[in-house]
Amino acid sequence: MNQPYLTVDEIVEHETEIKRSRFLCAVAPAGSEEAAREFVAGRRRSHGDATHNCSAYVIGGDRGVQRADDDGEPGGTAGTPMLETLLRRGLSDVVAVVTRYFGGVKLGAGGLVRAYGSSVGKTLDRARLVEMVPARLVAVSVDHVRAGRLESDLRASPYEVREVGYGAGVRFTVAVREADLPVFGGWVATLTAGRAEVEEGEAVHLRAG
């Protein structure tokens, strides 16, 4: 089932200190697992002198890909509570990295779980969240005569043109929110005098309109 979720629209950072250890958390949008890994790698380069750079991310609608990394902390005390915080907040397409500079006082397993989880939570409290709603990629094929007007109206509409392909005719790939699907076909038919072919494709997500 394609479900709505929340994400962040920009990088947010927040630092806390617990028993002299510094916990610097960065949360960022990530549209793919590759983007999430690149962000984690970048934070590790930027904070190569840190004791740990722990991470967690959730990618894709319906929480498709979930990863957590303790980066040397005791198993399950860092990445897991970070991931659980992201999931509990209903987030996806998001990556979190918590950089720890050890302050000389051990926190114990329970203390680490609370520290890493709360670090992500406090950072999310400062983030601007965006709702992503279920949508579909829809292929609209039309002849060249009607394509110009259709493209102009599509780009002025709430629908998102993802791709335009030219051949014997013109094929538009359009992202349409599922709530708008019942009226989209009729809208296209009106613009093209019923001469366009409309075919629904894969599920995606769009910002709530």
Side-chain angles (χ1 to χ4, degrees):
M1 190 71 171
N2 213 11
Q3 297 292 332
Y5 62 83
L6 298 174
T7 192
V8 297
D9 65 353
E10 61 184 1
I11 298 172
V12 182
E13 295 188 40
H14 178 64
E15 182 175 334
T16 57
E17 183 174 321
I18 302 173
K19 293 185 178 179
R20 299 204 297 271
S21 279
R22 292 172 55 208
F23 291 86
L24 175 59
C25 179
V27 175
S32 66
E33 190 168 8
E34 180 182 6
R37 288 173 174 170
E38 288 177 356
F39 183 77
V40 173
R43 297 296 292 185
R44 287 178 173 169
R45 287 192 298 269
S46 299
H47 299 278
D49 59 337
T51 316
H52 305 281
N53 285 286
C54 305
S55 60
Y57 56 81
V58 185
I59 306 296
D62 302 325
R63 302 175 176 182
V65 178
Q66 304 174 19
R67 299 284 185 270
D69 183 8
D70 296 313
D71 192 36
E73 293 281 29
T77 63
T80 297
M82 292 168 62
L83 178 62
E84 288 175 348
T85 301
L86 296 176
L87 294 174
R88 188 166 57 249
R89 298 286 186 103
L91 289 158
S92 192
D93 288 351
V94 65
V95 55
V97 180
V98 175
T99 299
R100 182 189 183 189
Y101 289 91
F102 182 55
V105 178
K106 292 185 178 181
L107 302 182
L112 289 172
V113 168
R114 289 188 294 273
Y116 281 98
S118 67
S119 184
V120 174
K122 290 175 181 178
T123 305
L124 291 173
D125 289 341
R126 290 160 172 78
R128 181 170 57 190
L129 301 182
V130 177
E131 184 182 12
M132 304 295 288
V133 297
R136 288 274 172 184
L137 293 184
V138 180
V140 181
S141 301
V142 69
D143 59 63
H144 287 276
V145 173
R146 295 172 175 80
R149 180 192 171 187
L150 178 57
E151 181 171 6
S152 177
D153 287 345
L154 278 170
R155 295 194 184 280
S157 76
Y159 311 120
E160 182 180 308
V161 178
R162 293 282 182 92
E163 186 177 337
V164 182
Y166 298 93
V170 182
R171 180 184 174 94
F172 300 94
T173 301
V174 186
V176 181
R177 294 170 183 84
E178 287 190 354
D180 296 330
L181 285 173
V183 300
F184 179 73
W187 181 78
V188 170
T190 299
L191 290 176
T192 62
R195 305 298 285 273
E197 295 182 4
V198 178
E199 181 181 357
E200 292 184 17
E202 69 175 286
V204 294
H205 283 80
L206 290 175
R207 288 185 178 220

